[in-house]
Amino acid sequence: MTEVLTAPQPIRLKGRSFLALVLSPEMPFGDWLMRLDDLAERSAGFFLQRPIVLDLDGLDMDREQLRGLLERLDERNVRIMGIEGARPSILGPDTPPAMSGGRPASDIEAPETDKRAAAATNAKPAAPEWKPGRSVPSIIVSEPVRSGQSLMFEGDITVVGSVSSGAEIVAGGSIHIYGTLRGRAAAGSMGDTSARIFCSKLEAELVAIAGLYKTSEDMQPELRGKSVQFWLKDDALLAEKLG
Protein backbone atom coordinates (compact mmCIF):
# COMPACT_ATOMS: atom_id res chain seq x y z
CA MET A 1 0.00 0.00 0.00
CA THR A 2 2.85 2.38 0.87
CA GLU A 3 4.46 1.74 -2.50
CA VAL A 4 1.28 2.72 -4.31
CA LEU A 5 0.88 5.97 -2.35
CA THR A 6 4.51 7.07 -2.75
CA ALA A 7 5.05 6.01 -6.37
CA PRO A 8 6.22 8.97 -8.46
CA GLN A 9 3.66 10.49 -10.74
CA PRO A 10 4.42 10.29 -14.49
CA ILE A 11 5.60 13.48 -16.15
CA ARG A 12 2.88 15.04 -18.27
CA LEU A 13 4.03 16.03 -21.74
CA LYS A 14 1.98 18.45 -23.80
CA GLY A 15 2.23 19.51 -27.42
CA ARG A 16 1.81 23.14 -28.38
CA SER A 17 2.11 24.89 -31.74
CA PHE A 18 3.67 28.36 -32.11
CA LEU A 19 3.93 30.62 -35.13
CA ALA A 20 7.63 31.41 -35.68
CA LEU A 21 9.32 33.88 -37.98
CA VAL A 22 12.00 32.34 -40.18
CA LEU A 23 15.08 34.39 -41.11
CA SER A 24 17.15 33.19 -44.09
CA PRO A 25 20.55 34.93 -44.03
CA GLU A 26 22.35 35.66 -47.29
CA MET A 27 26.05 36.10 -47.93
CA PRO A 28 27.82 38.41 -47.50
CA PHE A 29 26.37 38.63 -44.00
CA GLY A 30 27.39 42.28 -43.63
CA ASP A 31 25.08 43.38 -46.44
CA TRP A 32 22.25 41.18 -45.15
CA LEU A 33 22.60 42.60 -41.64
CA MET A 34 22.43 46.14 -43.05
CA ARG A 35 19.09 45.30 -44.66
CA LEU A 36 17.96 43.81 -41.35
CA ASP A 37 18.92 47.03 -39.57
CA ASP A 38 16.94 49.02 -42.14
CA LEU A 39 13.85 46.93 -41.46
CA ALA A 40 14.27 47.33 -37.71
CA GLU A 41 14.56 51.13 -38.08
CA ARG A 42 11.39 51.38 -40.18
CA SER A 43 9.40 48.95 -38.05
CA ALA A 44 10.23 49.53 -34.40
CA GLY A 45 9.87 46.38 -32.31
CA PHE A 46 9.44 44.12 -35.36
CA PHE A 47 11.58 41.37 -33.77
CA LEU A 48 10.60 42.06 -30.15
CA GLN A 49 9.67 38.83 -28.33
CA ARG A 50 9.10 36.96 -31.59
CA PRO A 51 10.10 33.29 -31.79
CA ILE A 52 12.65 33.24 -34.61
CA VAL A 53 14.18 30.31 -36.50
CA LEU A 54 17.39 30.75 -38.48
CA ASP A 55 17.27 28.91 -41.82
CA LEU A 56 20.80 28.08 -43.04
CA ASP A 57 19.80 25.72 -45.84
CA GLY A 58 22.21 26.04 -48.77
CA LEU A 59 24.75 28.21 -46.90
CA ASP A 60 28.36 26.99 -46.78
CA MET A 61 29.60 28.18 -43.39
CA ASP A 62 31.66 26.86 -40.48
CA ARG A 63 31.04 26.95 -36.73
CA GLU A 64 32.96 30.18 -36.18
CA GLN A 65 30.96 31.97 -38.87
CA LEU A 66 27.75 30.74 -37.26
CA ARG A 67 28.85 31.95 -33.82
CA GLY A 68 29.74 35.33 -35.28
CA LEU A 69 26.37 35.63 -36.99
CA LEU A 70 24.52 34.66 -33.81
CA GLU A 71 26.49 37.25 -31.82
CA ARG A 72 25.65 40.00 -34.30
CA LEU A 73 21.97 39.02 -34.23
CA ASP A 74 22.02 39.00 -30.42
CA GLU A 75 23.45 42.55 -30.47
CA ARG A 76 20.31 43.52 -32.40
CA ASN A 77 18.03 41.79 -29.86
CA VAL A 78 17.10 39.13 -32.43
CA ARG A 79 16.75 35.98 -30.32
CA ILE A 80 17.11 32.71 -32.24
CA MET A 81 15.12 29.79 -30.80
CA GLY A 82 16.40 27.17 -33.26
CA ILE A 83 18.40 26.53 -36.41
CA GLU A 84 17.11 24.78 -39.50
CA GLY A 85 19.03 23.35 -42.44
CA ALA A 86 22.49 23.48 -40.81
CA ARG A 87 25.12 20.75 -40.95
CA PRO A 88 25.33 18.98 -37.56
CA SER A 89 29.09 19.60 -37.50
CA ILE A 90 28.67 23.38 -37.06
CA LEU A 91 26.20 23.11 -34.18
CA GLY A 92 27.28 22.80 -30.58
CA PRO A 93 26.14 23.19 -26.97
CA ASP A 94 26.60 26.96 -27.26
CA THR A 95 24.28 27.32 -30.28
CA PRO A 96 20.48 27.10 -30.53
CA PRO A 97 19.23 23.55 -31.19
CA ALA A 98 18.62 22.05 -34.61
CA MET A 99 15.01 22.14 -35.76
CA SER A 100 13.17 20.29 -38.52
CA GLY A 101 9.68 19.34 -39.60
CA GLY A 102 8.21 22.83 -39.61
CA ARG A 103 5.03 23.26 -41.62
CA PRO A 104 5.66 25.53 -44.63
CA ALA A 105 3.73 28.80 -44.85
CA SER A 106 3.65 31.73 -47.23
CA ASP A 107 6.50 34.22 -47.04
CA ILE A 108 6.03 37.35 -44.94
CA GLU A 109 7.04 40.24 -47.18
CA ALA A 110 8.48 43.14 -45.20
CA PRO A 111 8.06 46.61 -46.77
CA GLU A 112 11.14 47.31 -48.87
CA THR A 113 11.10 51.09 -49.14
CA ASP A 114 9.67 54.11 -47.40
CA LYS A 115 7.88 54.88 -50.67
CA ARG A 116 5.80 51.77 -50.31
CA ALA A 117 4.84 52.69 -46.73
CA ALA A 118 3.98 56.22 -47.88
CA ALA A 119 1.71 54.83 -50.58
CA ALA A 120 -0.13 52.88 -47.91
CA THR A 121 -0.45 56.02 -45.79
CA ASN A 122 -1.70 58.32 -48.57
CA ALA A 123 -4.00 55.85 -50.31
CA LYS A 124 -7.64 56.87 -50.34
CA PRO A 125 -9.85 54.30 -48.56
CA ALA A 126 -12.13 52.36 -50.86
CA ALA A 127 -15.08 50.14 -50.11
CA PRO A 128 -13.92 46.79 -48.70
CA GLU A 129 -14.14 43.84 -51.05
CA TRP A 130 -15.65 40.81 -49.27
CA LYS A 131 -14.35 37.35 -50.20
CA PRO A 132 -16.80 34.59 -49.22
CA GLY A 133 -15.92 31.01 -48.41
CA ARG A 134 -12.88 31.78 -46.25
CA SER A 135 -12.52 29.20 -43.47
CA VAL A 136 -9.69 29.38 -40.93
CA PRO A 137 -9.20 28.23 -37.32
CA SER A 138 -9.84 30.82 -34.62
CA ILE A 139 -9.31 31.47 -30.93
CA ILE A 140 -11.04 33.80 -28.46
CA VAL A 141 -9.02 35.52 -25.73
CA SER A 142 -11.31 36.59 -22.91
CA GLU A 143 -8.70 38.62 -20.98
CA PRO A 144 -6.82 41.81 -21.86
CA VAL A 145 -3.40 41.36 -23.47
CA ARG A 146 -0.95 43.14 -21.20
CA SER A 147 2.30 44.97 -21.91
CA GLY A 148 5.13 42.58 -22.73
CA GLN A 149 2.81 39.75 -23.79
CA SER A 150 2.98 38.33 -27.32
CA LEU A 151 0.02 36.33 -28.64
CA MET A 152 0.51 34.33 -31.85
CA PHE A 153 -1.90 32.00 -33.67
CA GLU A 154 -2.14 30.58 -37.18
CA GLY A 155 -5.78 31.60 -37.69
CA ASP A 156 -8.13 34.39 -36.54
CA ILE A 157 -7.69 35.97 -33.10
CA THR A 158 -10.53 37.66 -31.18
CA VAL A 159 -9.64 39.61 -28.04
CA VAL A 160 -12.57 40.41 -25.73
CA GLY A 161 -10.74 43.30 -24.11
CA SER A 162 -7.90 45.69 -24.81
CA VAL A 163 -4.33 45.25 -26.05
CA SER A 164 -1.90 47.29 -23.95
CA SER A 165 1.02 49.35 -25.20
CA GLY A 166 4.03 47.05 -25.60
CA ALA A 167 1.84 44.00 -26.27
CA GLU A 168 1.67 42.21 -29.62
CA ILE A 169 -0.96 40.20 -31.50
CA VAL A 170 0.20 38.16 -34.51
CA ALA A 171 -2.43 36.21 -36.48
CA GLY A 172 -2.27 34.13 -39.62
CA GLY A 173 -5.83 35.31 -40.26
CA SER A 174 -7.81 38.37 -39.09
CA ILE A 175 -7.70 40.17 -35.74
CA HIS A 176 -10.80 41.38 -33.84
CA ILE A 177 -10.26 43.52 -30.74
CA TYR A 178 -13.34 44.46 -28.70
CA GLY A 179 -11.48 47.09 -26.74
CA THR A 180 -8.64 49.58 -27.20
CA LEU A 181 -5.72 48.60 -29.41
CA ARG A 182 -2.65 50.34 -27.97
CA GLY A 183 0.04 47.80 -28.87
CA ARG A 184 0.92 46.10 -32.15
CA ALA A 185 -1.37 43.99 -34.34
CA ALA A 186 -0.14 41.98 -37.34
CA ALA A 187 -2.75 40.05 -39.33
CA GLY A 188 -2.19 37.80 -42.35
CA SER A 189 1.26 36.92 -41.01
CA MET A 190 1.48 33.87 -43.28
CA GLY A 191 0.68 35.85 -46.41
CA ASP A 192 -3.13 36.03 -46.28
CA THR A 193 -3.89 39.31 -48.07
CA SER A 194 -7.63 38.98 -47.34
CA ALA A 195 -7.04 39.23 -43.58
CA ARG A 196 -8.30 42.29 -41.69
CA ILE A 197 -7.85 44.09 -38.41
CA PHE A 198 -10.84 45.41 -36.44
CA CYS A 199 -10.67 47.35 -33.18
CA SER A 200 -13.20 49.25 -31.09
CA LYS A 201 -10.74 52.06 -30.28
CA LEU A 202 -7.55 52.76 -32.23
CA GLU A 203 -4.47 53.89 -30.29
CA ALA A 204 -2.09 51.42 -31.96
CA GLU A 205 1.71 51.56 -32.07
CA LEU A 206 1.72 49.54 -35.29
CA VAL A 207 -0.69 47.59 -37.50
CA ALA A 208 0.31 45.26 -40.34
CA ILE A 209 -1.37 42.95 -42.83
CA ALA A 210 0.67 40.46 -44.87
CA GLY A 211 3.84 42.50 -44.36
CA LEU A 212 2.47 45.95 -45.21
CA TYR A 213 2.40 48.12 -42.10
CA LYS A 214 1.59 51.51 -40.61
CA THR A 215 3.10 52.96 -37.45
CA SER A 216 1.25 55.38 -35.18
CA GLU A 217 2.88 58.30 -37.03
CA ASP A 218 1.50 57.05 -40.36
CA MET A 219 -2.15 56.75 -39.32
CA GLN A 220 -4.70 59.44 -40.17
CA PRO A 221 -5.28 61.63 -37.07
CA GLU A 222 -9.06 61.39 -37.51
CA LEU A 223 -8.89 57.61 -36.89
CA ARG A 224 -7.31 57.92 -33.44
CA GLY A 225 -9.69 56.90 -30.68
CA LYS A 226 -12.25 55.60 -33.19
CA SER A 227 -13.63 52.19 -34.10
CA VAL A 228 -11.57 51.23 -37.16
CA GLN A 229 -10.92 48.43 -39.63
CA PHE A 230 -7.82 47.87 -41.78
CA TRP A 231 -7.56 45.85 -44.99
CA LEU A 232 -5.42 45.50 -48.11
CA LYS A 233 -6.36 46.61 -51.60
CA ASP A 234 -4.06 46.89 -54.63
CA ASP A 235 -0.94 46.47 -52.48
CA ALA A 236 -1.94 49.30 -50.12
CA LEU A 237 -2.96 49.16 -46.46
CA LEU A 238 -6.26 51.02 -46.10
CA ALA A 239 -8.31 52.06 -43.08
CA GLU A 240 -11.75 53.47 -42.33
CA LYS A 241 -14.00 54.17 -39.38
CA LEU A 242 -16.62 51.60 -38.47
CA GLY A 243 -20.24 52.54 -37.90
Side-chain angles (χ1 to χ4, degrees), residues 108-125:
I108 301 174
E109 294 290 341
E112 296 179 357
T113 65
D114 290 335
K115 182 178 179 181
R116 188 177 182 186
T121 303
N122 298 326
K124 183 179 179 180

Side-chain angles (χ1 to χ4, degrees), residues 27 59-67 87 89-90:
M27 290 186 171
L59 288 181
D60 184 15
M61 60 190 306
D62 56 30
R63 183 176 294 187
E64 290 305 314
Q65 287 177 308
L66 174 58
R67 286 174 177 167
R87 300 192 313 275
S89 60
I90 71 172

